[in-house]
Amino acid sequence: TPKSPDDSQISQYPIRPASMTYDDVTHLSAKIKPKQQKVELEMAIDTLNPNYCRSKGEQIALNVDGTCTDETSTYSSKLMDKQTFCSSQAASNVSRYAAAVYKKGELHLTPLHGILQLRPSFTYLDKADAKHREREAANEGGDSSQDEAEDDVKQITVRFSRPETEQARQRRVQSYEFLQKRQAEEHWVHLHYYGLKDSRSEHERQYLFSQGHGLAENTELIKSPSEYLMMLMPPSVEEENDKPMAPSNVLSMAQLRTLPLADQIKILMKNVKVMPFANLMSLLGSGTDSTAVLRCIQQVAMLVQGNWVVKSDVLYPKDTSSPHSGVPAEVLCRGRDFVMWKFTQDRWVVRKEVAAVTKLCPEDVKDFLEHMSVARINKGWEFMLPYDEDFVKKHPDIVQRQHMLWMGIQAKLEKVYNLLKEHLTPKKQEAQSAHPLLVSGEQRVNMAKAKVKQNYGQLEKEFQKQKAEMKSNDASAKIDVSNIRIKEEPVSDEEPMDTSAYEGMNNGIVNGLHAEEDSTDSLNGHLPGGCIDRVAQELKAFVSSTFKKQFVLTLSELKRLFNLHLASLPPGHTLFSGISDKMLQDMVLDTGCKQILVPFPPQTAASPDELKVYALWEAGDTYDQHRQVLLEIFSKNYRVRRNVIQNQLSQECGEDLNKQEVDRVLKDCCVSYGGMWYLKGTVQS
C-alpha cells in the first residue's frame, strides 16, 4: 500500500486518501537508475471507481496540459489517470537489517543491501505552474501596442571567460546544480512489472528460503545463543562516521558521553552559557570525578557569583567576527569580558553603560547580556542565576584562584577602556535602596548563629595556639603581643592589592568573594613567624626572577604579573596568605632594584601605579653600567631620541659601542614609539 499523503497534499489527489490502495490501481510500470539506486513507479488509477472524483481529475489535467493534446501531454485522456511515486533511501547503512520469513517452525533470514521508501511525486504541479506563467506572458504580449512589439536596440557587452581555477572547479563540482545535472544525465532503465501471483514472482520468492535441509550443512549455526546474536548483530565501529553531523545547537546526550570529559564540558558550557556546578555534575552522569570536572571547567569558563559562565574566546574563536557588525573576535571577547566582570561586582548591569564603555553596536551588547542575564523593566539586566553560596563554601581555593584571574582581567580592561572610579566601584548603596534584599527573621537568626560559631572556632584555635606557645617558653611570663602582627599602611587613595578572602552578605559580591566593610579578619594579620619567612622567600624569588627577565616594570604591570603567578600556583600555597602593595614594593627594593623617578608630562592620564617605575640596577652581567647610564637619562627625560642615548653611552662608558650593543641595552629597558624611546610601561597613547 502506498504511503498516504498528509493534509497538505490532500487537495492534489482526485481520490480520497483513505481509498488509495491497490484496489484502485489497474496496472503498474517501473523504471530505475542503477547508479543512483533510484526507482520510479507509475500507477494507473481506476477512474471508474466510485471513490474517484472526476471533476477534480479533469481540473488537474487541464492545469497541467492545457486545452491542446499532443505527445508531450502528461495526461493524454484529459483526466488524471495515473500517479507517480519516487524512491528515497530510508537508511544510509542497512548492513544490520534482514528480511525474515517464518515457515514450518523455521526462521529464514535474507540480508538486505538497500531499503527504499516511496513517496508521491508532484512534478506535474511544476509543469502546471510553467504553463500558467506562459499563458500570463502571452496575455501581456498580446495587450502591448504595435510599437512596443518591435525590439529596441540594446547595447551588448561582450566578456571573455577567465580560465577556471582548481578551487573554482571543485566548488562547481560540489554545487547542487552540478549534482542535479549529473543525476539527470543517467538514463532510466524501464522494468517489466510482474504481479503478485505471477509464476516469475513465485520463483523469485523462493530465494527467500534457505536451500539447506539439515543443520549438519549449516555449521555456522552451531553456536551458543550469545555467539549467534553477536554474529547476527556485530558491534558497529564505522556507524558513527556514517551518521550526519547534528547542528551545533543540538546535543545528543548518548553521543556526548562518548567524548572525553574536557570536550563534554566545553560543549555543554558553549550551549548553556551559564550553569551552576551542581547542574553540570548531574549532566555528566554518575561516577564522574568532581576534581577532574573542576580542573576542566576552569579551562572553558569563569566563576561569576558562584556560577560558571563560558569564556568569551570559546564563543568567539580567533579569526571570527560579529554577525551583526563585523567586529573581530578580539574586540567582542574584550566587550563580553567587561560585561562578565561587571556582574562579578553587582547583580545588576545597565545596558547603556556597557555600550558607552565598549563602543560596540546595540545588537552585540544585547547578545552579551542575554548570555548571562535577564532584562527587568525599568531596572536593567539582572544576573540570571542566584548566588551559589554552597559552591563558594566548599571550594574556597577555586574561588580564590578565580578572583586572582579576575584581577588580571580588570587590569587589562582598565588600560583598554580607561575605566573611571565609578566603573570600578560597585554601587552598593544604590543597589540596596533600589532592590532591598528580603530576609526573614528566622533566616537572620540562623545566619547570626552560624557567624558566631565560626568566629568562636577561630578565636578558640588562636587561643589554644597562644597557650601552647606560652607553655613552651618558660622565660616568658605573659603573652608576647609581638607574635600578633597587624598590617598598618598609610591611608591613601590607592587601593591595596588584597588577595585575601572576605565574608559577608550578598550585596558585597566580588566574583564569589563576600566583602564586609567592618570586618577585621585578615590573613595578613595572623601569620606566625615561620610562615612570614616562607612568604618572604617565595615573594623574593618571584620578584628576582621577574626583574631578571624584564629589567624595567611599573608597579601596575608587576601587580598584574604577580596575580597571574598566583593563579598558576596550587591551592593552599603560602603566597595566598595575602600580599599588600607596601610588602611588594619593599621586596622590590630589597632585591637590588631602584625606583626611577620618570618626569611624566603634567597632562598624563596614567594611574598612580603606572607612575611608579622600578628597574633592576645590577644584574651581574657586562651591560650593568650601560643600563645604569640609560636609567639615569630617563630619570631626567620622559622620552629620548636614539642618537642622544648613543652619545651619552659613549661618553659615560668611554668606548664606542656598536649598533648591536646599543640595541641590546635598549631592548632590555625601553620601547620605541613614534621615533622616540620610552622606558617600558611609560608610553601614554
Side-chain angles (χ1 to χ4, degrees):
T1 303
K3 183 180 179 181
S4 298
D6 54 19
D7 295 339
S8 63
Q9 302 170 352
I10 289 178
S11 61
Q12 314 303 334
Y13 287 91
I15 57 178
R16 299 180 184 89
S19 64
M20 288 195 65
T21 63
Y22 282 108
D23 295 337
D24 301 316
V25 180
T26 56
H27 71 273
L28 183 145
S29 62
K31 54 184 179 180
I32 185 174
K33 288 186 177 182
K35 293 182 180 180
Q36 303 176 30
Q37 296 185 359
K38 186 176 182 180
V39 177
E40 274 194 8
L41 299 181
E42 188 178 274
M43 297 183 178
I45 302 175
D46 184 7
T47 58
L48 302 178
N49 193 289
N51 291 320
Y52 186 82
C53 180
R54 192 173 186 84
S55 61
K56 186 70 174 178
E58 292 176 350
Q59 183 63 44
I60 293 175
L62 180 63
N63 293 340
V64 174
D65 298 327
T67 55
C68 60
T69 304
D70 53 17
E71 295 180 355
T72 61
S73 299
T74 304
Y75 305 110
S76 57
S77 63
K78 295 185 179 181
L79 198 67
M80 183 180 178
D81 55 358
K82 57 185 177 180
Q83 175 66 50
T84 303
F85 292 86
C86 290
S87 67
S88 61
Q89 289 190 359
S92 59
N93 184 10
V94 297
S95 60
R96 303 177 66 177
Y97 294 90
V101 180
Y102 188 76
K103 181 180 180 181
K104 296 180 180 180
E106 297 177 348
L107 183 66
H108 299 261
L109 299 178
T110 303
L112 300 181
H113 299 284
I115 301 177
L116 301 180
Q117 182 181 17
L118 294 175
R119 297 171 179 262
S121 173
F122 298 101
T123 54
Y124 62 88
L125 295 179
D126 298 334
K127 189 175 181 181
D129 291 340
K131 291 279 187 182
H132 179 68
R133 286 193 293 269
E134 291 177 1
R135 287 194 295 267
E136 288 185 347
N139 293 334
E140 292 178 358
D143 294 339
S144 62
S145 63
Q146 183 67 25
D147 295 337
E148 293 175 347
E150 298 179 358
D151 294 337
D152 296 335
V153 178
K154 297 182 179 180
Q155 182 180 0
I156 300 176
T157 303
V158 179
R159 295 181 179 179
F160 296 94
S161 60
R162 299 178 180 178
E164 188 179 30
T165 62
E166 181 64 22
Q167 187 177 8
R169 190 190 70 81
Q170 291 180 358
R171 287 199 301 266
R172 180 176 60 82
V173 170
Q174 295 176 358
S175 64
Y176 176 76
E177 290 79 9
F178 184 82
L179 295 177
Q180 289 292 103
K181 183 179 178 181
R182 288 284 301 273
Q183 292 179 2
E185 289 176 352
E186 185 179 359
H187 297 288
W188 287 101
V189 178
H190 292 271
L191 306 176
H192 183 74
Y193 172 73
Y194 294 93
L196 182 65
K197 298 181 180 180
D198 192 274
S199 59
R200 179 66 181 269
S201 299
E202 184 67 26
H203 176 73
E204 292 291 333
R205 197 178 301 116
Q206 294 300 319
Y207 287 109
L208 296 176
F209 299 97
S210 174
Q211 302 303 319
H213 300 286
L215 292 178
E217 299 178 3
N218 300 331
T219 56
E220 291 186 359
L221 296 181
I222 306 177
K223 303 284 185 180
S224 64
S226 60
E227 292 176 341
Y228 173 70
L229 289 176
M230 184 62 67
M231 293 172 58
L232 184 64
M233 298 284 290
S236 178
V237 179
E238 301 179 357
E239 187 176 359
E240 296 293 333
N241 299 330
D242 297 336
K243 293 183 179 179
M245 294 297 294
S248 59
N249 59 340
V250 177
L251 284 177
S252 170
M253 295 303 296
Q255 294 180 0
L256 182 68
R257 290 178 179 175
T258 61
L259 301 175
L261 181 61
D263 294 339
Q264 294 185 45
I265 295 174
K266 183 176 181 179
I267 293 174
L268 287 173
M269 292 304 305
K270 189 174 182 179
N271 284 269
V272 182
K273 307 292 191 304
V274 184
M275 193 188 308
F277 185 73
N279 290 12
L280 178 62
M281 291 298 297
S282 63
L283 290 174
L284 295 175
S286 59
T288 307
D289 185 14
S290 60
T291 305
V293 175
L294 283 173
R295 186 168 55 253
C296 295
I297 188 65
Q298 296 181 74
Q299 305 298 324
V300 297
M302 296 290 292
L303 193 66
V304 178
Q305 300 194 19
N307 301 282
W308 292 100
V309 182
V310 64
K311 287 184 177 180
S312 301
D313 54 2
V314 176
L315 294 180
Y316 303 108
K318 192 178 180 181
D319 298 331
T320 59
S321 59
S322 167
H324 305 295
S325 59
V327 173
E330 182 182 357
V331 180
L332 293 176
C333 291
R334 197 160 53 222
R336 188 174 180 274
D337 286 345
F338 176 75
V339 175
M340 293 171 62
W341 172 76
K342 289 291 290 183
F343 276 118
T344 65
Q345 308 295 306
D346 199 352
R347 284 196 63 81
W348 296 86
V349 169
V350 180
R351 179 176 173 178
K352 291 183 178 179
E353 180 183 348
V354 175
V357 173
T358 59
K359 303 295 189 298
L360 293 173
C361 70
E363 291 79 8
D364 289 332
V365 175
K366 186 178 180 182
D367 285 349
F368 298 159
L369 294 170
E370 287 178 345
H371 289 169
M372 62 194 82
S373 58
V374 180
R376 306 295 184 190
I377 299 176
N378 298 329
K379 293 182 179 180
W381 292 77
E382 183 185 12
F383 193 71
M384 62 171 56
L385 295 179
Y387 178 74
D388 193 349
E389 191 172 356
D390 293 338
F391 179 83
V392 174
K393 288 183 177 180
K394 291 180 181 178
H395 306 281
D397 53 339
I398 302 295
V399 173
Q400 180 72 4
R401 179 176 297 184
Q402 290 290 311
H403 179 54
M404 295 299 101
L405 291 175
W406 276 120
M407 290 182 68
I409 293 176
Q410 177 181 340
K412 291 182 180 179
L413 295 175
E414 290 178 13
K415 285 187 176 181
V416 174
Y417 294 129
N418 294 325
L419 300 180
L420 303 176
K421 284 193 175 182
E422 52 263 27
H423 295 143
L424 301 176
T425 307
K427 302 177 181 179
K428 298 180 181 179
Q429 296 180 353
E430 295 180 5
Q432 290 177 358
S433 60
H435 314 287
L437 181 65
L438 300 179
V439 182
S440 64
E442 184 178 356
Q443 290 177 341
R444 291 183 179 181
V445 171
N446 293 335
M447 287 190 297
K449 289 181 178 179
K451 190 172 182 179
V452 168
K453 289 181 180 180
Q454 186 177 3
N455 293 338
Y456 177 78
Q458 293 178 355
L459 293 174
E460 182 67 22
K461 289 180 181 179
E462 189 171 345
F463 174 73
Q464 294 296 337
K465 184 178 180 181
Q466 292 177 356
K467 189 175 180 181
E469 291 178 356
M470 191 170 61
K471 288 182 179 179
S472 61
N473 190 3
D474 297 332
S476 178
K478 58 181 180 179
I479 300 176
D480 187 2
V481 296
S482 62
N483 287 336
I484 304 176
R485 303 187 180 185
I486 301 175
K487 181 178 68 175
E488 296 181 0
E489 295 183 10
V491 179
S492 65
D493 295 334
E494 304 174 18
E495 294 191 8
M497 186 184 61
D498 192 2
T499 59
S500 59
Y502 298 90
E503 299 177 355
M505 294 297 293
N506 198 20
N507 290 330
I509 299 173
V510 183
N511 191 29
L513 299 177
H514 291 274
E516 186 174 356
E517 296 177 358
D518 58 348
S519 176
T520 58
D521 290 339
S522 174
L523 295 175
N524 289 335
H526 298 84
L527 292 173
C531 184
I532 292 178
D533 293 339
R534 291 196 301 271
V535 170
Q537 292 175 1
E538 293 286 344
L539 184 59
K540 185 174 182 179
F542 164 76
V543 173
S544 299
S545 61
T546 302
F547 272 95
K548 285 182 180 179
K549 297 176 182 177
Q550 305 289 340
F551 289 100
V552 177
L553 287 172
T554 62
L555 180 59
S556 176
E557 179 66 12
L558 180 61
K559 288 165 63 175
R560 187 185 72 83
L561 295 175
F562 182 66
N563 288 332
L564 294 177
H565 177 65
L566 287 180
S568 65
L569 295 177
H573 197 273
T574 55
L575 285 182
F576 283 111
S577 57
I579 306 298
S580 65
D581 286 0
K582 187 174 184 303
M583 293 173 61
L584 187 61
Q585 295 178 67
D586 292 343
M587 185 57 67
V588 170
L589 299 177
D590 290 343
T591 54
C593 299
K594 288 189 178 182
Q595 183 175 358
I596 310 301
L597 301 178
V598 180
F600 285 88
Q603 67 275 15
T604 181
S607 64
D609 287 348
E610 292 175 339
L611 296 177
K612 296 180 179 179
V613 183
Y614 295 93
L616 182 62
W617 197 251
E618 293 182 357
D621 56 11
T622 58
Y623 293 97
D624 279 346
Q625 184 181 2
H626 304 85
R627 280 191 291 266
Q628 292 171 9
V629 173
L630 183 63
L631 296 174
E632 290 290 346
I633 295 174
F634 280 102
S635 64
K636 301 175 183 178
N637 303 276
Y638 173 60
R639 55 185 180 181
V640 187
R641 293 190 179 276
R642 180 188 174 93
N643 57 353
V644 176
I645 296 175
Q646 190 161 359
N647 294 335
Q648 191 71 18
L649 286 174
S650 299
Q651 293 177 7
E652 295 292 337
C653 299
E655 56 183 1
D656 293 333
L657 300 177
N658 55 33
K659 183 178 182 299
Q660 289 76 11
E661 292 176 335
V662 176
D663 290 342
R664 166 66 185 275
V665 176
L666 291 175
K667 182 181 178 182
D668 290 343
C669 304
C670 304
V671 292
S672 177
Y673 182 77
M676 304 294 288
W677 288 87
Y678 303 78
L679 277 185
K680 289 182 179 179
T682 62
V683 180
Q684 301 297 320
S685 57

